[in-house]
Amino acid sequence: QAKTTDGGTAYVLTKVEGGSASMYLLGGSAQPDWSTSVNKKIEVTGPVQEPPSADKDSAANPNVVRPPAIVAESVRVVAESCT
């Protein structure tokens, strides 16, 4: 779970197995259920979308991360811990 630049909440997948990136932003329609999966190992299926280009304000800020996004079609808990 992370904060967006406008103060919203974003869910980020880290410790990714498979895929071409080390982290992904999680998006899709099941968002209210994602908070119950924080710090659990999950399996996500759905298409990957490349991040939008950085605007001039965020391009200069090294704290702004723009990972690719997964539009979650399904999310399944496979283990109660990420380790």
Side-chain angles (χ1 to χ4, degrees), residues 20-21 24 47-53 66-70:
S20 59
Y24 290 90
V48 174
Q49 296 178 340
E50 290 305 313
S53 298
R66 294 191 179 279
I70 296 179

Side-chain angles (χ1 to χ4, degrees), residues 2 4 8-11 25-37 72 75:
T4 62
T9 300
Y11 291 92
L25 180 64
L26 192 56
S29 61
Q31 190 169 0
D33 299 330
W34 295 339
S35 62
T36 61
S37 299
V75 177

